[in-house]
Amino acid sequence: MEYGIGETAKMCGITVKTLRHYDRIGLLHPDRVSEAGYRFYGERGLARLQTILFYRELDFPLAEIKAMLCGDNFDDKLAMQRQLELLMMKRERLDNLCALLNRILKGEKIMNLSAFDNGKIERLKKEYAEEAKALYGNTGEWAQSEARAQKRDSEQTASANSEAEGIFSAFSALLPGSPSDEAAQELVKRWHDHINRHHYDCSLEVFQSLGQMYTADERFYNYLDSFGKGTAEFMSEAIEIYCRKNGNNIE
């Protein structure tokens, strides 16, 4: 059985835009595209989407999820085991909360704030995230970024962070201008150079995917928009223009 893109999005509580983005960055392609261009997802696609959503639950960025799923040593059975353990712990917490509320509704005077504690689940999520990074997360960009971060002292780290925030503020100051304007494109180059200098060797293809995540990943989106509403969208569009202009229409 297969589902259209709208049905698939509704079934798992995400948007059609998100599924289209996953397709565009090579994270999740539909199992079939009709002659009219409609996307359909079958058993293979839904299984992969389930794994993606599990790692999103663990707060993994899309770039790291893609690197893990495309790796030769990815273990989908282990991923499902970890998902099951996490969901069972969540179910236990909800069962305890339901039981507590039922007792209160029956007239018992109970004060049990510990039932609302989500600490065990958050610790387990962190543990699984660290395990997954150790098993699959050692991509070239990730490893290089980690190595450079370890070599920086606190003053160098503060300087790099300040430089990045200055670039984000400069992007925000250009609103509501056009992302294709010379000033915007100069800022994109500054940001690209910053990543190459402080984090990892960022190819145009990787840079393009990073720009796409600024609007698709809620954490990126909210952080960039903290410098001014619309900054994330503006940066994403400006990076897309920059990469296509300098990368011979890379896809």
Side-chain angles (χ1 to χ4, degrees):
M1 189 172 182
E2 61 182 14
Y3 300 87
I5 190 170
E7 294 175 295
T8 303
K10 185 177 181 180
M11 184 166 49
C12 55
I14 60 177
T15 66
V16 168
K17 181 180 178 181
T18 296
L19 285 175
R20 291 183 184 278
H21 177 67
Y22 288 175
D23 184 16
R24 187 167 64 251
I25 66 173
L27 179 60
L28 174 67
H29 297 304
D31 291 294
R32 181 174 69 87
V33 179
S34 71
E35 291 183 2
Y38 295 110
R39 294 169 168 86
F40 292 92
Y41 298 83
E43 183 177 350
R44 182 208 62 83
L46 294 177
R48 186 175 175 96
L49 177 57
Q50 177 178 269
T51 302
I52 292 167
L53 294 178
F54 170 58
Y55 281 110
R56 292 294 289 131
E57 181 73 14
L58 296 180
D59 296 325
F60 271 77
L62 295 179
E64 291 187 19
I65 297 173
K66 180 180 176 181
M68 288 189 297
L69 296 186
C70 294
D72 294 333
N73 62 336
F74 181 72
D75 188 338
D76 58 346
K77 185 176 181 180
L78 178 61
M80 285 188 284
Q81 289 174 340
R82 294 293 180 255
Q83 184 179 23
L84 178 61
E85 291 167 11
L86 184 62
L87 290 175
M88 289 181 68
M89 183 172 286
K90 286 186 175 183
R91 183 178 68 181
E92 180 183 1
R93 177 176 178 271
L94 290 175
D95 285 345
N96 289 337
L97 285 172
C98 289
L100 174 63
L101 288 172
N102 276 323
R103 292 174 65 186
I104 293 173
L105 287 170
K106 290 178 181 178
E108 295 186 43
K109 295 186 179 298
I110 303 172
M111 182 64 69
N112 182 14
L113 296 179
S114 63
F116 296 90
D117 182 14
N118 201 34
K120 283 178 65 178
I121 293 174
E122 292 303 315
R123 286 191 294 273
L124 188 63
K125 285 170 63 175
K126 183 178 180 181
E127 178 185 324
Y128 290 168
E130 290 173 351
E131 175 190 77
K133 277 192 175 181
L135 288 172
Y136 319 121
N138 196 23
T139 61
E141 291 85 3
W142 182 83
Q144 191 175 33
S145 182
E146 287 291 302
R148 290 186 183 180
Q150 290 174 8
K151 290 179 180 178
R152 288 195 295 266
D153 59 28
S154 58
E155 186 176 333
Q156 290 170 324
T157 298
S159 176
N161 291 341
S162 177
E163 181 182 302
E165 290 174 358
I167 294 172
F168 300 151
S169 295
F171 270 113
S172 176
L174 293 178
L175 294 170
S178 169
S180 62
D181 285 349
E182 183 179 351
Q185 290 303 298
E186 287 178 356
L187 274 178
V188 173
K189 186 178 186 307
R190 278 182 59 191
W191 180 231
H192 192 205
D193 290 342
H194 174 93
I195 296 172
N196 278 298
R197 187 167 62 254
H198 292 291
H199 299 288
Y200 53 84
D201 297 333
C202 185
S203 68
L204 285 175
E205 183 179 8
V206 171
F207 192 43
Q208 185 182 42
S209 294
L210 186 63
Q212 291 167 351
M213 280 192 290
Y214 290 167
T215 54
D217 190 307
E218 186 177 354
R219 289 166 300 167
F220 277 120
Y221 185 90
N222 290 337
Y223 174 68
L224 292 174
D225 265 27
S226 70
F227 291 86
K229 187 170 178 58
T231 303
E233 188 76 35
F234 186 83
M235 281 188 68
S236 181
E237 291 179 12
I239 290 172
E240 184 73 22
I241 293 168
Y242 175 88
C243 291
R244 291 187 176 277
K245 179 179 174 183
N246 293 281
N248 195 24
N249 293 326
I250 58 175
E251 292 295 337

